[in-house]
Structure formats: C-alpha cells, structure tokens
Amino acid sequence: MDFWDTKRIWIVGASSGIGEGLVRLLAEKGANLILSARNESKLLELKSSFPKSKIEVLSLDVEEISALPGKTSQAWQIFGGLDYVFLNAGMSVRDLVTECKLEVERKIMDINFWGPVAISKELLKLRTPENPLHLVLTSSLSGKYGVPKLAAYAASKHAIQGYFDSLRAETHGSGLFIHIVIPGFIQTNITVAGLRGDGSTSGKMQNALADGMDPIRCAKGILLGLEKEKEEFVVGGSERYTVALNRLFPGLMKVLIRSNPLQRLKKFRKTFFRK
Ligand SMILES: NC(=O)c1ccc[n+]([C@@H]2O[C@H](COP(=O)([O-])OP(=O)(O)OC[C@H]3O[C@@H](n4cnc5c(N)ncnc54)[C@H](OP(=O)(O)O)[C@@H]3O)[C@@H](O)[C@H]2O)c1
C-alpha cells in the first residue's frame, strides 16, 4: 500500500505547474483528491485524465478572501475531512518597487499570503485532535532572501514563512503539521502568467525557469519530503544551495544579489556544478 493511498487531499493551485504535477502523481497513487484553482475547465480536463481515481473539482479564486471559509468547509465535507492541504496557489509580480502600483502589490499579498491564511484559519476550526492535519505551504527562495524586482513576491513568501512558523510553534503536539516547501527554479508558467508593476500580464518566461526543473520531478521531491515528515525543505537544482549560502555567508549573498542575481547564480551553477 502506498503512503498516499486513500489520503484525503485538497490541492489549491492544482490547474498547472507544480500543483498539476502533484495531482498527476497523487491520482496514480490512489489518493482522494479535491482540485482547486480559478480555471475550472482545466481542472475538469485533469480529472478526466484519471477516470478511475476519486477526484472532485472545487473551483475558487483565493483573491476572494471572504468566500474562502465557505469553500474550505465545502472541501472538508467532500470526503468527510482532510489529511493534507496543499496551499500552492501563487502569482508573481516582477518589477522595480518604484514601478509597482500598491494595488498590484496588495493583490500578490492576497493571493500568496492572505488566501492561505484565510483557508488555514477555517481548517483550524474544522479539524479535530484525533484527525491529524498536514498543511503544505509553497514558499520560494524569495521567502528566504529578497532580490531586485521581486519585492512584493518576496514579501508575500517571507510572510508565509513567519506566519506558519509561528502557527507551528503555537500548535505543537496538537495533530497539526506544517510543512514549508521551497521550490528552486521550476519550469512552470508562473512568470508567464505573472504581472508587471502596472498590473498587466508579463507573458514572458524567465530564463532561469525555462532552464529549471520539470514540475513532475519537483512534485516527486515534494511528496518525498512529506513522506519523510520534513517541516521545511528545498526542491530544485543547484540554486537550492543559495539558502545555505545566505544563512552561512549573508554578506557574500548580499553582494551576489545586488545586481542580476539570477545571471550570477546561473554563472555560479555553471562554474561549480554540472546541471
Ligand atoms: N516555478 C517556480 O520556479 C517556483 C519557485 C518558487 C515558488 N513557486 C511557487 O509555486 C507555486 C505554484 O506555482 P507554479 O510555479 O506551479 O506556477 P503556475 O503554473 O502558474 O501555477 C500557479 C497555480 O496557482 C493558481 N492560482 C493563481 N492565482 C490564483 C487565484 N487567484 N485563485 C486560485 N488559484 C490561483 C493557478 O491556477 P488558475 O490560474 O487556474 O487560478 C495555478 O494552478 C506558487 O505558490 C509559486 O509562488 C514556484
């Protein structure tokens, strides 16, 4: 029997990229899945690829914060409780702080931070001590250090880190398990669907991501980390070492990220590691 067989799992941000990778792997492993995102037709298409699996679709927009408690109790009722909830929906904005409209920065905070918080608050009310609940938050390297042109995105991921570290400490020993996943560069559409500072869609794939890890491989790494009960872990290529570099040599890291950090990291990777 597989670790994930019969687990009741809600994936928020299931329609593409890392979330889609998780759906594909977990459906094959026999999990009971609830898929959420805005793009309902994509979720239904994914469901139809696994006709033998138990998959339900619950479309939602995490930006509509006031609707999230209701959506969360709907998700809870589908399989009579939940074992794992992946709070994976995310959006990026890439621009200088001076070019970013405040309303765009607020939008990023709503999707990446307040959405997961609103869902988690409702889950805290619904869960019972005899039913262990695992919350899986998708953070980022930008949740560990800020880089130019990603201020609001980095703020939202730092906020995830601080909030959920605190919640983990508050609820220790109560059957709530909090896992923070830090993907490196993963080949998804996050920057294509991402915004510019004025709120328009970027439409551009960032080079580092185009060369990044395949989302299915990333999803495999995430499931493995969870099976090992890791509280926080990085999944990605050699860029994952920057987390340790930042912790051990923060001064050096500050110099590295001041200008063109991704190009510098790429050069660093090419010099010291084979991909
Ligand atoms: N790719 C990377 O290199 C990387 C690195 C670090 C962290 N991450 C994080 O990984 C997570 C997944 O991103 P990805 O890389 O897989 O990108 P992606 O392919 O663009 O996936 C983003 C997911 O979030 C959903 N989403 C976006 N806005 C939403 C909203 N308002 N309401 C509900 N769902 C929404 C999207 O679905 P709909 O559009 O259908 O709503 C989609 O399912 C994000 O939290 C991202 O910040 C990615």
Side-chain angles (χ1 to χ4, degrees), residues 13-19 37-39 60-63 88-91 111 138-140 153 157 183-186 188-190 209:
S15 62
S16 64
I18 299 170
R38 291 166 303 177
N39 189 339
L60 57 77
D61 184 342
V62 282
E63 216 181 323
N88 172 69
M91 181 161 274
I111 295 170
T138 312
S139 181
S140 164
Y153 182 74
K157 297 296 186 180
F185 302 147
I186 316 300
T188 71
N189 272 341
I190 185 92
L209 267 57

PDB file of all heavy atoms in Angstrom, residues 13-19 37-39 60-63 88-91 111 138-140 153 157 183-186 188-190 209, ligand 1:
ATOM      1  N   GLY A  13      -4.505  25.488  -6.157  1.00  0.00           N
ATOM      2  CA  GLY A  13      -3.482  25.822  -7.155  1.00  0.00           C
ATOM      3  C   GLY A  13      -3.105  24.552  -7.895  1.00  0.00           C
ATOM      4  O   GLY A  13      -1.933  24.237  -8.065  1.00  0.00           O
ATOM      5  N   ALA A  14      -4.169  23.813  -8.337  1.00  0.00           N
ATOM      6  CA  ALA A  14      -3.969  22.477  -8.911  1.00  0.00           C
ATOM      7  C   ALA A  14      -3.967  22.478 -10.435  1.00  0.00           C
ATOM      8  O   ALA A  14      -3.703  21.449 -11.046  1.00  0.00           O
ATOM      9  CB  ALA A  14      -5.088  21.545  -8.416  1.00  0.00           C
ATOM     10  N   SER A  15      -4.253  23.627 -11.064  1.00  0.00           N
ATOM     11  CA  SER A  15      -4.541  23.594 -12.506  1.00  0.00           C
ATOM     12  C   SER A  15      -3.314  23.611 -13.408  1.00  0.00           C
ATOM     13  O   SER A  15      -3.428  23.363 -14.600  1.00  0.00           O
ATOM     14  CB  SER A  15      -5.452  24.776 -12.878  1.00  0.00           C
ATOM     15  OG  SER A  15      -4.778  25.990 -12.590  1.00  0.00           O
ATOM     16  N   SER A  16      -2.133  23.920 -12.852  1.00  0.00           N
ATOM     17  CA  SER A  16      -0.939  23.943 -13.717  1.00  0.00           C
ATOM     18  C   SER A  16       0.327  23.796 -12.869  1.00  0.00           C
ATOM     19  O   SER A  16       0.269  23.799 -11.635  1.00  0.00           O
ATOM     20  CB  SER A  16      -0.885  25.235 -14.541  1.00  0.00           C
ATOM     21  OG  SER A  16      -0.743  26.353 -13.689  1.00  0.00           O
ATOM     22  N   GLY A  17       1.457  23.683 -13.558  1.00  0.00           N
ATOM     23  CA  GLY A  17       2.769  23.701 -12.906  1.00  0.00           C
ATOM     24  C   GLY A  17       2.934  22.659 -11.798  1.00  0.00           C
ATOM     25  O   GLY A  17       2.610  21.478 -11.965  1.00  0.00           O
ATOM     26  N   ILE A  18       3.439  23.109 -10.668  1.00  0.00           N
ATOM     27  CA  ILE A  18       3.753  22.206  -9.550  1.00  0.00           C
ATOM     28  C   ILE A  18       2.483  21.517  -9.044  1.00  0.00           C
ATOM     29  O   ILE A  18       2.481  20.309  -8.770  1.00  0.00           O
ATOM     30  CB  ILE A  18       4.438  22.999  -8.404  1.00  0.00           C
ATOM     31  CG1 ILE A  18       5.763  23.614  -8.898  1.00  0.00           C
ATOM     32  CG2 ILE A  18       4.672  22.108  -7.193  1.00  0.00           C
ATOM     33  CD1 ILE A  18       6.399  24.617  -7.937  1.00  0.00           C
ATOM     34  N   GLY A  19       1.391  22.286  -8.938  1.00  0.00           N
ATOM     35  CA  GLY A  19       0.130  21.720  -8.452  1.00  0.00           C
ATOM     36  C   GLY A  19      -0.373  20.616  -9.371  1.00  0.00           C
ATOM     37  O   GLY A  19      -0.806  19.553  -8.919  1.00  0.00           O
ATOM     38  N   ALA A  37      -8.644  25.832  -8.140  1.00  0.00           N
ATOM     39  CA  ALA A  37      -7.955  26.938  -8.822  1.00  0.00           C
ATOM     40  C   ALA A  37      -9.081  27.734  -9.483  1.00  0.00           C
ATOM     41  O   ALA A  37     -10.271  27.404  -9.291  1.00  0.00           O
ATOM     42  CB  ALA A  37      -6.963  26.425  -9.863  1.00  0.00           C
ATOM     43  N   ARG A  38      -8.740  28.747 -10.279  1.00  0.00           N
ATOM     44  CA  ARG A  38      -9.806  29.502 -10.961  1.00  0.00           C
ATOM     45  C   ARG A  38     -10.248  28.807 -12.238  1.00  0.00           C
ATOM     46  O   ARG A  38     -11.419  28.818 -12.586  1.00  0.00           O
ATOM     47  CB  ARG A  38      -9.297  30.918 -11.311  1.00  0.00           C
ATOM     48  CG  ARG A  38      -9.081  31.808 -10.115  1.00  0.00           C
ATOM     49  CD  ARG A  38      -8.270  33.020 -10.503  1.00  0.00           C
ATOM     50  NE  ARG A  38      -6.993  32.626 -11.089  1.00  0.00           N
ATOM     51  CZ  ARG A  38      -6.094  33.451 -11.567  1.00  0.00           C
ATOM     52  NH1 ARG A  38      -6.331  34.750 -11.548  1.00  0.00           N
ATOM     53  NH2 ARG A  38      -4.954  33.009 -12.074  1.00  0.00           N
ATOM     54  N   ASN A  39      -9.304  28.196 -12.942  1.00  0.00           N
ATOM     55  CA  ASN A  39      -9.582  27.643 -14.267  1.00  0.00           C
ATOM     56  C   ASN A  39     -10.291  26.275 -14.165  1.00  0.00           C
ATOM     57  O   ASN A  39      -9.657  25.220 -14.175  1.00  0.00           O
ATOM     58  CB  ASN A  39      -8.261  27.507 -15.034  1.00  0.00           C
ATOM     59  CG  ASN A  39      -8.480  27.141 -16.478  1.00  0.00           C
ATOM     60  OD1 ASN A  39      -9.523  26.615 -16.855  1.00  0.00           O
ATOM     61  ND2 ASN A  39      -7.487  27.424 -17.297  1.00  0.00           N
ATOM     62  N   LEU A  60     -12.223  27.912  -7.254  1.00  0.00           N
ATOM     63  CA  LEU A  60     -12.246  29.076  -6.369  1.00  0.00           C
ATOM     64  C   LEU A  60     -11.177  30.070  -6.793  1.00  0.00           C
ATOM     65  O   LEU A  60     -10.260  29.737  -7.540  1.00  0.00           O
ATOM     66  CB  LEU A  60     -12.020  28.657  -4.901  1.00  0.00           C
ATOM     67  CG  LEU A  60     -10.760  27.874  -4.520  1.00  0.00           C
ATOM     68  CD1 LEU A  60      -9.530  28.753  -4.434  1.00  0.00           C
ATOM     69  CD2 LEU A  60     -10.975  27.206  -3.172  1.00  0.00           C
ATOM     70  N   ASP A  61     -11.353  31.292  -6.291  1.00  0.00           N
ATOM     71  CA  ASP A  61     -10.359  32.336  -6.507  1.00  0.00           C
ATOM     72  C   ASP A  61      -9.840  32.743  -5.126  1.00  0.00           C
ATOM     73  O   ASP A  61     -10.608  33.280  -4.312  1.00  0.00           O
ATOM     74  CB  ASP A  61     -11.028  33.530  -7.218  1.00  0.00           C
ATOM     75  CG  ASP A  61     -10.031  34.624  -7.560  1.00  0.00           C
ATOM     76  OD1 ASP A  61      -8.923  34.638  -6.979  1.00  0.00           O
ATOM     77  OD2 ASP A  61     -10.376  35.483  -8.402  1.00  0.00           O
ATOM     78  N   VAL A  62      -8.566  32.472  -4.834  1.00  0.00           N
ATOM     79  CA  VAL A  62      -8.067  32.767  -3.484  1.00  0.00           C
ATOM     80  C   VAL A  62      -8.036  34.268  -3.178  1.00  0.00           C
ATOM     81  O   VAL A  62      -7.910  34.668  -2.031  1.00  0.00           O
ATOM     82  CB  VAL A  62      -6.655  32.180  -3.193  1.00  0.00           C
ATOM     83  CG1 VAL A  62      -6.703  30.718  -2.898  1.00  0.00           C
ATOM     84  CG2 VAL A  62      -5.650  32.488  -4.258  1.00  0.00           C
ATOM     85  N   GLU A  63      -8.180  35.065  -4.243  1.00  0.00           N
ATOM     86  CA  GLU A  63      -8.216  36.515  -4.024  1.00  0.00           C
ATOM     87  C   GLU A  63      -9.544  36.933  -3.386  1.00  0.00           C
ATOM     88  O   GLU A  63      -9.635  37.999  -2.778  1.00  0.00           O
ATOM     89  CB  GLU A  63      -8.047  37.195  -5.383  1.00  0.00           C
ATOM     90  CG  GLU A  63      -7.245  38.459  -5.308  1.00  0.00           C
ATOM     91  CD  GLU A  63      -7.125  39.122  -6.665  1.00  0.00           C
ATOM     92  OE1 GLU A  63      -6.991  38.423  -7.695  1.00  0.00           O
ATOM     93  OE2 GLU A  63      -7.156  40.357  -6.695  1.00  0.00           O
ATOM     94  N   ASN A  88      -0.915  26.007  -2.468  1.00  0.00           N
ATOM     95  CA  ASN A  88       0.109  26.130  -3.507  1.00  0.00           C
ATOM     96  C   ASN A  88      -0.184  27.249  -4.509  1.00  0.00           C
ATOM     97  O   ASN A  88       0.691  27.635  -5.272  1.00  0.00           O
ATOM     98  CB  ASN A  88       0.197  24.768  -4.220  1.00  0.00           C
ATOM     99  CG  ASN A  88       1.081  24.785  -5.437  1.00  0.00           C
ATOM    100  OD1 ASN A  88       2.300  24.924  -5.326  1.00  0.00           O
ATOM    101  ND2 ASN A  88       0.481  24.675  -6.623  1.00  0.00           N
ATOM    102  N   ALA A  89      -1.417  27.802  -4.492  1.00  0.00           N
ATOM    103  CA  ALA A  89      -1.744  28.842  -5.490  1.00  0.00           C
ATOM    104  C   ALA A  89      -0.797  30.026  -5.315  1.00  0.00           C
ATOM    105  O   ALA A  89      -0.473  30.405  -4.191  1.00  0.00           O
ATOM    106  CB  ALA A  89      -3.186  29.297  -5.310  1.00  0.00           C
ATOM    107  N   GLY A  90      -0.345  30.573  -6.418  1.00  0.00           N
ATOM    108  CA  GLY A  90       0.568  31.706  -6.287  1.00  0.00           C
ATOM    109  C   GLY A  90       0.642  32.517  -7.560  1.00  0.00           C
ATOM    110  O   GLY A  90       0.328  32.042  -8.659  1.00  0.00           O
ATOM    111  N   MET A  91       1.026  33.764  -7.391  1.00  0.00           N
ATOM    112  CA  MET A  91       1.214  34.661  -8.533  1.00  0.00           C
ATOM    113  C   MET A  91       2.432  35.542  -8.267  1.00  0.00           C
ATOM    114  O   MET A  91       2.724  35.851  -7.111  1.00  0.00           O
ATOM    115  CB  MET A  91      -0.026  35.524  -8.711  1.00  0.00           C
ATOM    116  CG  MET A  91       0.090  36.466  -9.878  1.00  0.00           C
ATOM    117  SD  MET A  91      -1.495  37.075 -10.427  1.00  0.00           S
ATOM    118  CE  MET A  91      -2.009  35.793 -11.539  1.00  0.00           C
ATOM    119  N   ILE A 111      -3.255  36.859  -2.815  1.00  0.00           N
ATOM    120  CA  ILE A 111      -3.192  35.514  -3.409  1.00  0.00           C
ATOM    121  C   ILE A 111      -2.184  34.638  -2.664  1.00  0.00           C
ATOM    122  O   ILE A 111      -2.475  33.498  -2.309  1.00  0.00           O
ATOM    123  CB  ILE A 111      -2.832  35.604  -4.914  1.00  0.00           C
ATOM    124  CG1 ILE A 111      -3.949  36.320  -5.675  1.00  0.00           C
ATOM    125  CG2 ILE A 111      -2.568  34.213  -5.502  1.00  0.00           C
ATOM    126  CD1 ILE A 111      -3.609  36.678  -7.108  1.00  0.00           C
ATOM    127  N   THR A 138       3.502  26.384  -0.166  1.00  0.00           N
ATOM    128  CA  THR A 138       4.571  26.542  -1.163  1.00  0.00           C
ATOM    129  C   THR A 138       5.183  27.921  -0.993  1.00  0.00           C
ATOM    130  O   THR A 138       4.553  28.931  -1.297  1.00  0.00           O
ATOM    131  CB  THR A 138       4.028  26.375  -2.601  1.00  0.00           C
ATOM    132  OG1 THR A 138       3.232  25.188  -2.656  1.00  0.00           O
ATOM    133  CG2 THR A 138       5.174  26.232  -3.593  1.00  0.00           C
ATOM    134  N   SER A 139       6.396  27.938  -0.491  1.00  0.00           N
ATOM    135  CA  SER A 139       7.123  29.203  -0.371  1.00  0.00           C
ATOM    136  C   SER A 139       8.024  29.364  -1.593  1.00  0.00           C
ATOM    137  O   SER A 139       7.640  28.978  -2.710  1.00  0.00           O
ATOM    138  CB  SER A 139       7.912  29.215   0.947  1.00  0.00           C
ATOM    139  OG  SER A 139       8.594  30.433   1.102  1.00  0.00           O
ATOM    140  N   SER A 140       9.219  29.867  -1.424  1.00  0.00           N
ATOM    141  CA  SER A 140      10.112  30.168  -2.559  1.00  0.00           C
ATOM    142  C   SER A 140      11.489  30.518  -2.000  1.00  0.00           C
ATOM    143  O   SER A 140      11.611  30.827  -0.807  1.00  0.00           O
ATOM    144  CB  SER A 140       9.520  31.374  -3.301  1.00  0.00           C
ATOM    145  OG  SER A 140      10.465  31.954  -4.155  1.00  0.00           O
ATOM    146  N   TYR A 153       6.525  39.962  -4.167  1.00  0.00           N
ATOM    147  CA  TYR A 153       6.505  38.487  -4.163  1.00  0.00           C
ATOM    148  C   TYR A 153       7.319  37.978  -2.971  1.00  0.00           C
ATOM    149  O   TYR A 153       6.863  37.113  -2.219  1.00  0.00           O
ATOM    150  CB  TYR A 153       7.084  37.975  -5.484  1.00  0.00           C
ATOM    151  CG  TYR A 153       7.078  36.465  -5.645  1.00  0.00           C
ATOM    152  CD1 TYR A 153       5.896  35.784  -5.910  1.00  0.00           C
ATOM    153  CD2 TYR A 153       8.252  35.735  -5.531  1.00  0.00           C
ATOM    154  CE1 TYR A 153       5.888  34.406  -6.062  1.00  0.00           C
ATOM    155  CE2 TYR A 153       8.262  34.359  -5.682  1.00  0.00           C
ATOM    156  CZ  TYR A 153       7.077  33.692  -5.950  1.00  0.00           C
ATOM    157  OH  TYR A 153       7.078  32.321  -6.094  1.00  0.00           O
ATOM    158  N   LYS A 157       6.101  35.764   0.411  1.00  0.00           N
ATOM    159  CA  LYS A 157       6.659  34.455   0.783  1.00  0.00           C
ATOM    160  C   LYS A 157       7.362  34.531   2.142  1.00  0.00           C
ATOM    161  O   LYS A 157       7.327  33.564   2.908  1.00  0.00           O
ATOM    162  CB  LYS A 157       7.616  33.952  -0.309  1.00  0.00           C
ATOM    163  CG  LYS A 157       6.937  33.711  -1.668  1.00  0.00           C
ATOM    164  CD  LYS A 157       5.888  32.607  -1.620  1.00  0.00           C
ATOM    165  CE  LYS A 157       5.327  32.267  -3.000  1.00  0.00           C
ATOM    166  NZ  LYS A 157       4.315  31.204  -2.985  1.00  0.00           N
ATOM    167  N   PRO A 183      10.473  25.636  -3.458  1.00  0.00           N
ATOM    168  CA  PRO A 183      10.953  25.226  -4.783  1.00  0.00           C
ATOM    169  C   PRO A 183      12.050  26.174  -5.259  1.00  0.00           C
ATOM    170  O   PRO A 183      12.030  27.367  -4.963  1.00  0.00           O
ATOM    171  CB  PRO A 183       9.718  25.350  -5.675  1.00  0.00           C
ATOM    172  CG  PRO A 183       8.556  25.544  -4.750  1.00  0.00           C
ATOM    173  CD  PRO A 183       9.107  26.187  -3.521  1.00  0.00           C
ATOM    174  N   GLY A 184      12.997  25.619  -6.017  1.00  0.00           N
ATOM    175  CA  GLY A 184      14.024  26.468  -6.646  1.00  0.00           C
ATOM    176  C   GLY A 184      13.465  27.002  -7.948  1.00  0.00           C
ATOM    177  O   GLY A 184      12.380  27.586  -7.969  1.00  0.00           O
ATOM    178  N   PHE A 185      14.193  26.781  -9.050  1.00  0.00           N
ATOM    179  CA  PHE A 185      13.700  27.210 -10.369  1.00  0.00           C
ATOM    180  C   PHE A 185      12.968  26.035 -11.012  1.00  0.00           C
ATOM    181  O   PHE A 185      13.587  25.033 -11.375  1.00  0.00           O
ATOM    182  CB  PHE A 185      14.866  27.638 -11.264  1.00  0.00           C
ATOM    183  CG  PHE A 185      15.698  28.758 -10.696  1.00  0.00           C
ATOM    184  CD1 PHE A 185      17.061  28.825 -10.939  1.00  0.00           C
ATOM    185  CD2 PHE A 185      15.115  29.753  -9.924  1.00  0.00           C
ATOM    186  CE1 PHE A 185      17.829  29.860 -10.418  1.00  0.00           C
ATOM    187  CE2 PHE A 185      15.874  30.793  -9.399  1.00  0.00           C
ATOM    188  CZ  PHE A 185      17.235  30.844  -9.648  1.00  0.00           C
ATOM    189  N   ILE A 186      11.665  26.167 -11.159  1.00  0.00           N
ATOM    190  CA  ILE A 186      10.849  25.077 -11.711  1.00  0.00           C
ATOM    191  C   ILE A 186      10.214  25.571 -13.014  1.00  0.00           C
ATOM    192  O   ILE A 186       9.694  26.696 -13.075  1.00  0.00           O
ATOM    193  CB  ILE A 186       9.748  24.630 -10.702  1.00  0.00           C
ATOM    194  CG1 ILE A 186      10.307  24.496  -9.267  1.00  0.00           C
ATOM    195  CG2 ILE A 186       9.076  23.338 -11.176  1.00  0.00           C
ATOM    196  CD1 ILE A 186      11.418  23.513  -9.064  1.00  0.00           C
ATOM    197  N   THR A 188       7.682  26.252 -14.937  1.00  0.00           N
ATOM    198  CA  THR A 188       6.224  26.432 -14.975  1.00  0.00           C
ATOM    199  C   THR A 188       5.914  27.792 -15.599  1.00  0.00           C
ATOM    200  O   THR A 188       6.817  28.558 -15.923  1.00  0.00           O
ATOM    201  CB  THR A 188       5.621  26.423 -13.553  1.00  0.00           C
ATOM    202  OG1 THR A 188       6.012  27.644 -12.900  1.00  0.00           O
ATOM    203  CG2 THR A 188       6.088  25.235 -12.749  1.00  0.00           C
ATOM    204  N   ASN A 189       4.624  28.097 -15.663  1.00  0.00           N
ATOM    205  CA  ASN A 189       4.198  29.364 -16.270  1.00  0.00           C
ATOM    206  C   ASN A 189       4.079  30.505 -15.271  1.00  0.00           C
ATOM    207  O   ASN A 189       3.457  31.520 -15.580  1.00  0.00           O
ATOM    208  CB  ASN A 189       2.842  29.158 -16.955  1.00  0.00           C
ATOM    209  CG  ASN A 189       3.035  28.682 -18.379  1.00  0.00           C
ATOM    210  OD1 ASN A 189       4.119  28.838 -18.951  1.00  0.00           O
ATOM    211  ND2 ASN A 189       2.006  28.095 -18.937  1.00  0.00           N
ATOM    212  N   ILE A 190       4.652  30.336 -14.075  1.00  0.00           N
ATOM    213  CA  ILE A 190       4.443  31.358 -13.027  1.00  0.00           C
ATOM    214  C   ILE A 190       4.861  32.758 -13.497  1.00  0.00           C
ATOM    215  O   ILE A 190       4.159  33.726 -13.208  1.00  0.00           O
ATOM    216  CB  ILE A 190       5.169  30.967 -11.699  1.00  0.00           C
ATOM    217  CG1 ILE A 190       4.850  31.958 -10.568  1.00  0.00           C
ATOM    218  CG2 ILE A 190       6.679  30.851 -11.849  1.00  0.00           C
ATOM    219  CD1 ILE A 190       3.713  31.594  -9.721  1.00  0.00           C
ATOM    220  N   LEU A 209      13.799  29.947 -15.173  1.00  0.00           N
ATOM    221  CA  LEU A 209      12.729  28.953 -15.052  1.00  0.00           C
ATOM    222  C   LEU A 209      12.652  28.074 -16.305  1.00  0.00           C
ATOM    223  O   LEU A 209      12.366  26.875 -16.210  1.00  0.00           O
ATOM    224  CB  LEU A 209      11.381  29.639 -14.804  1.00  0.00           C
ATOM    225  CG  LEU A 209      10.997  29.790 -13.329  1.00  0.00           C
ATOM    226  CD1 LEU A 209      12.052  30.540 -12.549  1.00  0.00           C
ATOM    227  CD2 LEU A 209       9.652  30.431 -13.183  1.00  0.00           C
TER     228      LEU A 209
HETATM  229  N1  LIG B   1       8.001  27.845 -10.670  1.00  0.00           N
HETATM  230  C1  LIG B   1       8.915  28.199  -9.802  1.00  0.00           C
HETATM  231  O1  LIG B   1      10.116  28.279 -10.131  1.00  0.00           O
HETATM  232  C2  LIG B   1       8.520  28.485  -8.372  1.00  0.00           C
HETATM  233  C3  LIG B   1       9.561  28.751  -7.484  1.00  0.00           C
HETATM  234  C4  LIG B   1       9.231  29.016  -6.159  1.00  0.00           C
HETATM  235  C5  LIG B   1       7.919  29.000  -5.748  1.00  0.00           C
HETATM  236  N2  LIG B   1       6.926  28.761  -6.629  1.00  0.00           N
HETATM  237  C6  LIG B   1       5.551  28.741  -6.127  1.00  0.00           C
HETATM  238  O2  LIG B   1       4.929  27.543  -6.533  1.00  0.00           O
HETATM  239  C7  LIG B   1       3.511  27.726  -6.514  1.00  0.00           C
HETATM  240  C8  LIG B   1       2.930  27.137  -7.786  1.00  0.00           C
HETATM  241  O3  LIG B   1       3.379  27.906  -8.878  1.00  0.00           O
HETATM  242  P1  LIG B   1       3.851  27.276 -10.270  1.00  0.00           P
HETATM  243  O4  LIG B   1       5.279  27.601 -10.413  1.00  0.00           O
HETATM  244  O5  LIG B   1       3.398  25.883 -10.374  1.00  0.00           O
HETATM  245  O6  LIG B   1       3.098  28.251 -11.278  1.00  0.00           O
HETATM  246  P2  LIG B   1       1.757  28.114 -12.140  1.00  0.00           P
HETATM  247  O7  LIG B   1       1.880  27.009 -13.111  1.00  0.00           O
HETATM  248  O8  LIG B   1       1.479  29.478 -12.640  1.00  0.00           O
HETATM  249  O9  LIG B   1       0.683  27.679 -11.058  1.00  0.00           O
HETATM  250  C9  LIG B   1       0.038  28.601 -10.221  1.00  0.00           C
HETATM  251  C10 LIG B   1      -1.230  27.960  -9.697  1.00  0.00           C
HETATM  252  O10 LIG B   1      -1.860  28.905  -8.814  1.00  0.00           O
HETATM  253  C11 LIG B   1      -3.209  29.060  -9.254  1.00  0.00           C
HETATM  254  N3  LIG B   1      -3.677  30.413  -8.947  1.00  0.00           N
HETATM  255  C12 LIG B   1      -3.108  31.601  -9.295  1.00  0.00           C
HETATM  256  N4  LIG B   1      -3.878  32.612  -8.883  1.00  0.00           N
HETATM  257  C13 LIG B   1      -4.961  32.058  -8.277  1.00  0.00           C
HETATM  258  C14 LIG B   1      -6.124  32.583  -7.669  1.00  0.00           C
HETATM  259  N5  LIG B   1      -6.352  33.910  -7.585  1.00  0.00           N
HETATM  260  N6  LIG B   1      -7.028  31.722  -7.135  1.00  0.00           N
HETATM  261  C15 LIG B   1      -6.828  30.385  -7.206  1.00  0.00           C
HETATM  262  N7  LIG B   1      -5.749  29.815  -7.778  1.00  0.00           N
HETATM  263  C16 LIG B   1      -4.831  30.649  -8.312  1.00  0.00           C
HETATM  264  C17 LIG B   1      -3.180  28.815 -10.756  1.00  0.00           C
HETATM  265  O11 LIG B   1      -4.451  28.410 -11.227  1.00  0.00           O
HETATM  266  P3  LIG B   1      -5.503  29.336 -12.017  1.00  0.00           P
HETATM  267  O12 LIG B   1      -4.741  30.253 -12.905  1.00  0.00           O
HETATM  268  O13 LIG B   1      -6.349  28.319 -12.741  1.00  0.00           O
HETATM  269  O14 LIG B   1      -6.280  30.040 -10.962  1.00  0.00           O
HETATM  270  C18 LIG B   1      -2.216  27.629 -10.802  1.00  0.00           C
HETATM  271  O15 LIG B   1      -2.902  26.440 -10.518  1.00  0.00           O
HETATM  272  C19 LIG B   1       3.295  29.223  -6.335  1.00  0.00           C
HETATM  273  O16 LIG B   1       2.934  29.488  -5.000  1.00  0.00           O
HETATM  274  C20 LIG B   1       4.642  29.827  -6.645  1.00  0.00           C
HETATM  275  O17 LIG B   1       4.834  31.055  -5.978  1.00  0.00           O
HETATM  276  C21 LIG B   1       7.202  28.495  -7.939  1.00  0.00           C
END
